Amino acid sequence: MARLRISEIFHSLQGETSAMGRPATFVRLTGCPLRCQYCDSAYAFHGGMWMELEEILTQVQERAGQLVVVTGGEPLAQVGVHELLKVLCDAGREVYLETSGALSVRDVDPRVVKILDIKTPGSAESEKNDWENLQYLHAQDQVKFVLCNRSDYEWARDFLREHPLPAKEILFSPSYGELDLHDLAEWILVDQLPVRLQVQLHKWIWGDVPGH
């Protein structure tokens, strides 16, 4: 069985996606090949502890709730994450995978809901987008754009007009502390975009505090 380097496992509310507000168990993996300028989990770039799959599953099962969110860092940077996702699905959990979009999602278990982040120019990592990932999206999956400014918004808007996506939800999220929520809402309404405006609910509740 695989071993994975885990930054933390904790219980909280899912702060983003269509599952926003639902209690969930988060499994945060250590390591990420990207350095987005707005990253709020840089503490997970290093450290953590090696854990066997059985130990991870035990800790997940000790926490209430059906939803499990596998996140990072970048969880796909560890090869063993695919086995973890399968084990969690086999255990009857509803599993979400939050990924940067820089690494291939081709081999992700089809039972997993993929939350694919398309990096905008304002992230300072847009050149890392793996565009082949778009062909591996399913109707259950969700695509997220974190927007830093008006230029990012227009970039994402034009991208959607040129590349229709099969994902269930298209999420537009303002970069925390960078883009005014009111402005983003107005732009979406003016352009009549078929997207979901989302905020990071956990930050509205607890602030920019790790482990929430």
Side-chain angles (χ1 to χ4, degrees):
M1 272 196 158
R3 286 199 316 154
L4 293 163
R5 186 178 287 276
I6 302 297
S7 177
E8 57 184 343
I9 300 176
F10 61 97
H11 192 64
S12 187
L13 297 179
Q14 168 64 313
E16 304 180 74
T17 77
S18 62
M20 184 174 67
R22 289 179 54 191
T25 298
F26 291 80
V27 180
R28 187 183 302 282
L29 277 65
T30 300
C32 184
L34 279 70
R35 293 295 183 268
C36 300
Q37 60 87 10
Y38 48 66
C39 182
D40 58 4
S41 57
Y43 62 91
F45 290 166
H46 310 287
M49 62 181 296
W50 288 102
M51 297 178 65
E52 303 287 344
L53 283 183
E54 289 184 0
E55 185 180 0
I56 298 170
L57 184 59
T58 296
Q59 290 203 24
V60 168
Q61 291 175 328
E62 289 173 350
R63 292 164 170 83
Q66 183 70 9
L67 180 61
V68 180
V69 180
V70 178
T71 186
E74 169 50 70
L76 292 176
Q78 296 190 49
V79 177
V81 72
H82 292 287
E83 192 172 351
L84 171 63
L85 295 170
K86 180 180 184 302
V87 166
L88 291 170
C89 289
D90 289 346
R93 296 289 179 146
E94 179 183 359
V95 183
Y96 279 31
L97 170 71
E98 296 184 341
T99 177
S100 66
L103 301 178
S104 178
V105 299
R106 181 188 60 188
D107 297 325
V108 171
D109 191 299
R111 295 171 291 180
V112 172
V113 176
K114 298 185 288 290
I115 312 300
L116 184 75
D117 194 340
I118 295 182
K119 298 301 181 185
T120 63
S123 72
E125 288 285 34
S126 58
E127 73 281 358
K128 300 286 182 61
N129 286 315
D130 181 351
W131 298 115
E132 288 188 5
N133 278 331
L134 300 182
Q135 65 183 296
Y136 304 126
L137 293 174
H138 304 296
Q140 68 186 11
D141 298 328
Q142 303 177 36
V143 174
K144 179 174 73 172
F145 295 84
V146 177
L147 308 173
C148 300
N149 47 46
R150 174 71 189 190
S151 180
D152 267 5
Y153 168 79
E154 293 177 354
W155 183 92
R157 178 199 63 195
D158 295 345
F159 178 90
L160 290 179
R161 288 173 174 172
E162 296 171 11
H163 304 88
L165 299 174
K168 174 182 177 182
E169 297 276 2
I170 309 298
L171 311 167
F172 273 24
S173 180
S175 177
Y176 187 70
E178 283 194 86
L179 178 58
D180 184 79
L181 185 61
H182 177 270
D183 289 343
L184 179 54
E186 291 293 337
W187 300 340
I188 290 172
L189 291 173
V190 168
D191 288 331
Q192 302 184 51
L193 296 185
V195 302
R196 178 190 291 265
L197 172 62
Q198 71 164 22
V199 297
Q200 293 177 295
L201 179 64
H202 50 293
K203 291 186 178 178
W204 284 82
I205 299 172
W206 293 290
D208 199 3
V209 178
H212 287 293

